[in-house]
Amino acid sequence: MFFEGSEKKAEVLIDQQKLNLLTDVSDDIWATLVERCHAQILSSISNEHCKAFLLSESSLFVWQDCFLILTCGETQLVKSVEYFVQTFGMDVVKHVTYQRKNEYFSQAQPSCFGDDIKLLSQYMKGKAYRFGEMDSHHNYVFHLDNDFSAASDDKTYELLAYQICDHASAHLTQPNLTREQIRAYLHIDEILPGFILDDFVFDPYGYSLNAISGQQYLTIHVTPQADSSYISFESNLNLIELAPCILSILKPKSFDLLSFNETDFSGKTATSIPDIYISKSLVSKQLSNGYLVNFANYI
């Protein structure tokens, strides 16, 4: 059975003088926003800083001045961004970043990156970039073109693992696998001590986890099928430093690392990535919105 694990991602920053996402936006509105891209909310967790929704197709995180949504499968995430703008207007929006990576079967998607940008451009002027080779792993990034400049400590990381080893795939496709067993296999307690966790095991395969602690978050999405295995990690924790643990468990044939505002990307990867992996491509670019983006594909 095939499932498209590759995510689309949108981050929308808000002028908190005009709108507080935690107190001024109801859960019903978030549910409608998620439904617009053809996904549903399964459950949620929260603390004083963040509310995290686990979705049928990935995750939604909400802070006072920002929301981050990731969706996979055949969702149209751009429709959720459109819904938010139509509901609250562009005057409350400080910045928008929309990201989409290459899919296993792009022809099965209801839209491509170009279609998505055409829709967003009806509401905002923006710039678009591609990181990585067109005929290999790559990420597209679009952002609102305004006077916004990201803070240097606004750092996020993505680790995207492809073709995990046979042992990991076999383990994660066992029938009747429980969330406790998956947490133990992925060393979640070791990686995320003290975090509030929310996770879900899909039938027949698949697993999603949201984790929050204060302002910190991490989300994991597992598509374990041997013919299209893909496991993604997205966090404001330094995933480069966590990579040795993750890679020792999954042993993927290839993986991507993407960082926003990590100034020592080359130094950290040189010390953290095992020698058995070779960087096939490395792209580093300072965007006009203040983000330093680094992308590397390893085989």
Side-chain angles (χ1 to χ4, degrees):
M1 187 187 75
F2 171 78
F3 179 78
E4 184 66 72
S6 300
E7 288 100 354
K8 310 160 187 80
K9 171 185 167 184
E11 183 179 44
V12 180
L13 279 64
I14 302 301
D15 183 344
Q16 205 173 332
Q17 302 299 316
K18 298 179 179 178
L19 184 69
N20 185 315
L21 295 179
L22 287 180
T23 60
D24 299 337
V25 181
S26 70
D27 284 358
D28 287 342
I29 290 178
W30 293 122
T32 302
L33 180 141
V34 170
E35 288 168 2
R36 285 299 175 95
C37 71
H38 308 299
Q40 292 80 41
I41 293 173
L42 300 178
S43 57
S44 66
I45 51 176
S46 63
N47 60 25
E48 61 179 318
H49 300 287
C50 178
K51 182 177 288 187
F53 298 93
L54 200 64
L55 310 182
S56 58
E57 319 271 351
S58 296
S59 300
L60 165 66
F61 294 88
V62 180
W63 296 269
Q64 290 184 347
D65 62 347
C66 174
F67 76 87
L68 170 68
I69 181 169
L70 303 97
T71 64
C72 54
E74 296 176 15
T75 53
Q76 280 190 279
L77 178 57
V78 69
K79 295 286 189 179
S80 293
V81 180
E82 180 183 43
Y83 170 75
F84 184 88
V85 172
Q86 290 176 337
T87 303
F88 295 102
M90 279 300 296
D91 62 325
V92 306
V93 175
K94 289 180 66 176
H95 199 60
V96 176
T97 303
Y98 180 78
Q99 184 182 328
R100 184 164 173 171
K101 71 176 300 300
N102 62 290
E103 292 100 5
Y104 272 108
F105 291 102
S106 57
Q107 70 275 12
Q109 294 293 314
S111 69
C112 65
F113 181 74
D115 297 329
D116 295 348
I117 299 315
K118 186 177 294 186
L119 188 150
L120 288 176
S121 296
Q122 297 176 25
Y123 304 95
M124 64 191 77
K125 180 183 177 183
K127 292 183 177 180
Y129 308 83
R130 188 190 79 234
F131 294 87
E133 299 297 330
M134 191 67 185
D135 59 352
S136 183
H137 296 185
H138 57 271
N139 263 265
Y140 293 109
V141 176
F142 168 92
H143 69 77
L144 173 63
D145 187 16
N146 60 1
D147 59 359
F148 173 83
S149 183
S152 59
D153 60 352
D154 181 5
K155 299 183 179 183
T156 56
Y157 303 83
E158 299 170 33
L159 192 157
L160 314 173
Y162 307 83
Q163 296 174 285
I164 60 176
C165 69
D166 292 343
H167 179 270
S169 180
H171 185 90
L172 293 168
T173 54
Q174 292 180 86
N176 305 314
L177 198 62
T178 67
R179 65 184 71 189
E180 291 78 15
Q181 289 173 316
I182 297 176
R183 287 185 190 182
Y185 185 75
L186 296 177
H187 295 203
I188 296 301
D189 290 339
E190 176 185 336
I191 295 173
L192 300 169
F195 275 67
I196 302 170
L197 304 179
D198 184 22
D199 52 359
F200 188 86
V201 182
F202 293 90
D203 182 28
Y205 313 120
Y207 173 77
S208 288
L209 177 139
N210 284 345
I212 56 174
S213 176
Q215 297 274 11
Q216 295 179 315
Y217 76 95
L218 184 142
T219 184
I220 304 171
H221 301 284
V222 177
T223 302
Q225 294 92 307
D227 58 343
S228 58
S229 62
Y230 172 80
I231 300 182
S232 67
F233 299 77
E234 156 84 25
S235 185
N236 55 5
L237 299 173
N238 194 322
L239 292 179
I240 302 174
E241 295 174 355
L242 294 176
C245 178
I246 294 169
L247 296 174
S248 69
I249 298 166
L250 301 176
K251 298 180 177 63
K253 289 185 178 178
S254 67
F255 67 93
D256 299 338
L257 273 176
L258 188 71
S259 70
F260 287 77
N261 277 351
E262 173 53 70
T263 56
D264 188 26
F265 186 86
S266 295
K268 283 185 166 60
T269 54
T271 57
S272 295
I273 303 305
D275 292 339
I276 61 170
Y277 290 102
I278 299 170
S279 177
K280 187 179 178 183
S281 63
L282 171 60
V283 182
S284 181
K285 185 172 180 63
Q286 185 80 46
L287 306 188
S288 60
N289 60 2
Y291 285 110
L292 171 65
V293 179
N294 286 286
F295 172 85
N297 167 239
Y298 289 85
I299 57 174

